[in-house]
């Protein structure tokens, strides 16, 4: 495939125009329209994203000293110690805030928390005890677990507390989850755009993940400020505003589409066709996955798809220009069906029904085993061993 050496040809092929674009802020990031110093709002920026002005809050708006001052009288009770609980909890702790963990005593998460330095009776408690102690209740249980435990937790979320989510799933689909947030407390959301492991690793690197925030209830008039501050405290680099509804719809849609389900389906389809036409497993994998993830996707992430078109060979460019509209036309009806399935609650019902079954872990493991044992991913394990950094 003529994309093969795109990463090596960029400077040579793209020429002076590409070099100029790479150095141009207008070409590599959204245009900064204004940088305001509004009274009571710390240096927030209005940025033009593709013709639409949006307010963005950055980590610099909430330096550590301000976070410590803002939350000095608060106890952040983080409920659940899965992926997001792990990442957000450790980041809050490293930021010096008073955070406690609430999980089922002596369960797997309890033991994992102890391994990470949380101390029973000091900053690790059973769920109900943690909720009672917290001024902020950060509900980071799984979606199914939030539904199952809500009748127990809801009476403990009393006036004066703040209820926090990292996903709009439970309150938005309340008819299915039965999670109805109290009307007498602030209810906020911070949704990091990545796994909890990434939230943690980017924080440790001194960077920060991008996140969205939303407000469901603003009883005190400070809910927006609370969400923005907590977003930075849990490890965000910059934060933009959304709604609970838009967050859950885009999240469920995205992970089923380009982020996981859709891209996996495309990988499998391309790989299968190559294998059926006599290509070896290693060649099929390299042309489908390895080149995409190791050469092209990092460049798209850094500079954009338009940059890739400018940087690739003329043969690759012609083929991509001819075929992307065909893929778009073929796939858009699938994505429209997916979005409707997300919006009308079908995906939520499917998730709750499956994940609430007592044997769901065993069933899930069988499905995952199918993926682990696919030829494409067995080949991938061997290909990764050949990377120079692994030798």
């Amino acid at each position: 495939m003529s994309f093969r050496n795109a990463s090596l040809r960029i400077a040579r092929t793209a020429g002076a125009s590409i070099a100029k674009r790479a150095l141009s802020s207008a070409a590599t990031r959204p245009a900064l329209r204004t940088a305001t110093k509004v009274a009571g709002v710390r240096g927030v920026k209005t940025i033009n994203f593709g013709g639409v002005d949006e307010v963005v809050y950055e980590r610099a708006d909430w330096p550590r000293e301000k976070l410590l001052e803002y939350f000095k009288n608060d106890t952040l009770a983080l409920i659940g110690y899965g992926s997001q609980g792990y990442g957000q909890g450790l980041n809050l702790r490293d930021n010096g805030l008073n955070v406690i963990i609430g999980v089922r005593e002596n369960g797997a998460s309890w033991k994992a928390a102890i391994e990470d330095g949380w101390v029973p009776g000091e900053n690790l408690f059973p769920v109900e005890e943690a909720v009672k102690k917290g001024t902020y209740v950060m509900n980071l249980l799984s979606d199914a677990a939030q539904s199952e435990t809500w009748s127990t937790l809801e009476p403990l979320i009393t006036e004066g507390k703040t209820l926090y989510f990292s996903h709009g799933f439970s309150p938005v689909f309340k008819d299915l989850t039965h999670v109805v947030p109290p009307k007498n407390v602030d209810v906020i959301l911070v949704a990091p755009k990545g796994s909890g492991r990434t939230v943690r690793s980017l924080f440790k690197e001194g960077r920060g993940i991008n996140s969205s925030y939303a407000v469901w209830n603003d009883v005190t008039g400070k809910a927006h400020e609370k969400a923005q501050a907590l977003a930075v405290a849990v490890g965000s680099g910059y934060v933009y505003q959304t709604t609970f509804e838009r967050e859950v719809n885009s999240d469920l849609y995205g992970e089923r589409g380009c982020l996981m389900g859709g891209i996996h389906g495309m990988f499998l389809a391309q790989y299968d066709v190559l294998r059926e036409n006599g290509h070896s497993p290693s060649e099929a994998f390299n042309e489908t996955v390895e080149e995409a993830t190791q050469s092209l996707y990092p460049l798209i992430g850094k500079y954009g798809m338009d940059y890739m078109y400018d940087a690739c060979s003329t043969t690759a460019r012609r083929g991509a220009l001819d075929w992307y509209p065909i893929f778009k036309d073929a796939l858009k009806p699938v994505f429209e069906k997916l979005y409707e399935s997300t919006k009308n609650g079908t995906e939520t019902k499917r998730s709750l029904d499956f994940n609430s079954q007592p044997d769901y872990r065993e069933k899930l493991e069988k499905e995952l085993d199918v993926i682990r044992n696919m030829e494409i991913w067995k080949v991938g394990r061997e290909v990764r061993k050949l990377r120079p950094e692994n030798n």
Side-chain angles (χ1 to χ4, degrees), residues 273-322:
V273 170
L274 286 169
R275 292 288 287 122
E276 290 160 5
N277 280 274
H279 296 268
S280 68
S282 63
E283 183 173 51
F285 184 86
N286 277 305
E287 291 291 350
T288 299
V289 180
E290 192 75 352
E291 191 168 341
T293 59
Q294 300 305 299
S295 176
L296 303 187
Y297 291 175
L299 291 171
I300 294 169
K302 190 171 184 179
Y303 298 115
M305 194 72 206
D306 54 339
Y307 189 86
M308 279 304 306
Y309 275 101
D310 285 333
C312 71
S313 72
T314 55
T315 301
R317 184 187 304 147
R318 181 68 268 146
L321 288 170
D322 289 344

Side-chain angles (χ1 to χ4, degrees), residues 59 62-69 93-97:
R59 182 170 54 191
W62 286 93
R64 189 168 183 267
E65 316 82 69
K66 286 195 173 184
L67 291 175
L68 291 171
E69 176 64 23
R93 190 173 74 182
D94 285 356
N95 271 327
L97 303 182

Side-chain angles (χ1 to χ4, degrees), residues 92-122:
L92 288 167
R93 190 173 74 182
D94 285 356
N95 271 327
L97 303 182
N98 181 25
V99 55
I100 62 176
I101 302 296
V103 291
R104 181 169 58 85
E105 193 169 11
N106 296 320
S109 293
W110 181 275
K111 294 173 184 176
I114 291 175
E115 290 178 2
D116 289 336
W118 302 95
V119 181
E122 182 179 318

Side-chain angles (χ1 to χ4, degrees), residues 33-218:
R33 289 287 295 273
T34 57
T36 59
K37 289 284 185 180
V38 181
V41 182
R42 284 156 291 281
V44 299
K45 295 176 176 63
T46 300
I47 297 179
N48 185 275
F49 291 95
V52 178
D53 286 347
E54 296 184 43
V55 174
V56 174
Y57 302 84
E58 297 181 291
R59 182 170 54 191
D61 301 327
W62 286 93
R64 189 168 183 267
E65 316 82 69
K66 286 195 173 184
L67 291 175
L68 291 171
E69 176 64 23
Y70 192 81
F71 293 110
K72 66 181 180 182
N73 297 320
D74 289 304
T75 297
L76 309 176
L78 192 153
I79 310 305
Y81 202 68
S83 175
Q84 286 295 334
Y86 157 85
Q88 295 188 36
L90 291 177
N91 290 353
L92 288 167
R93 190 173 74 182
D94 285 356
N95 271 327
L97 303 182
N98 181 25
V99 55
I100 62 176
I101 302 296
V103 291
R104 181 169 58 85
E105 193 169 11
N106 296 320
S109 293
W110 181 275
K111 294 173 184 176
I114 291 175
E115 290 178 2
D116 289 336
W118 302 95
V119 181
E122 182 179 318
N123 52 23
L124 176 61
F125 300 94
V127 172
E128 292 183 33
E129 187 175 352
V131 174
K132 291 176 183 177
K133 290 178 177 291
T135 54
Y136 284 74
V137 178
M138 303 175 69
N139 194 341
L140 297 184
L141 293 167
S142 69
D143 296 323
Q146 288 186 21
S147 180
E148 292 166 2
T149 60
W150 184 247
S151 61
T152 301
L153 298 187
E154 193 274 337
L156 305 178
I157 303 172
T158 52
E159 190 171 358
K161 294 181 184 286
T162 297
L163 178 60
Y164 168 107
F165 294 95
S166 276
H167 194 15
F169 188 100
S170 292
V172 170
F173 296 109
K174 57 185 180 295
D175 291 342
L176 294 169
T177 64
H178 309 295
V179 176
V180 181
K183 294 181 179 180
N184 62 341
V185 301
D186 287 345
V187 181
I188 61 177
L189 172 147
V190 172
K193 299 305 160 185
S195 73
R197 300 287 163 177
T198 308
V199 171
R200 179 61 176 162
S201 64
L202 291 180
F203 176 84
K204 290 170 70 176
E205 291 171 16
R207 296 162 63 191
I209 198 163
N210 74 86
S211 302
S212 60
Y213 90 89
V215 171
W216 184 273
N217 284 348
D218 187 5

Side-chain angles (χ1 to χ4, degrees), residues 365-383:
E365 200 55 33
K366 288 181 180 178
E367 291 185 275
L368 294 177
D369 264 342
V370 172
I371 295 174
R372 295 184 190 111
N373 289 306
M374 287 177 177
E375 182 186 272
I376 184 174
W377 304 121
K378 284 184 176 180
V379 173
R381 286 194 286 274
E382 298 307 313
V383 170

Side-chain angles (χ1 to χ4, degrees), residues 321-335:
L321 288 170
D322 289 344
W323 276 91
Y324 88 78
I326 297 172
F327 277 106
K328 179 188 173 184
D329 291 345
L331 291 171
K332 190 174 180 184
V334 178
F335 278 95

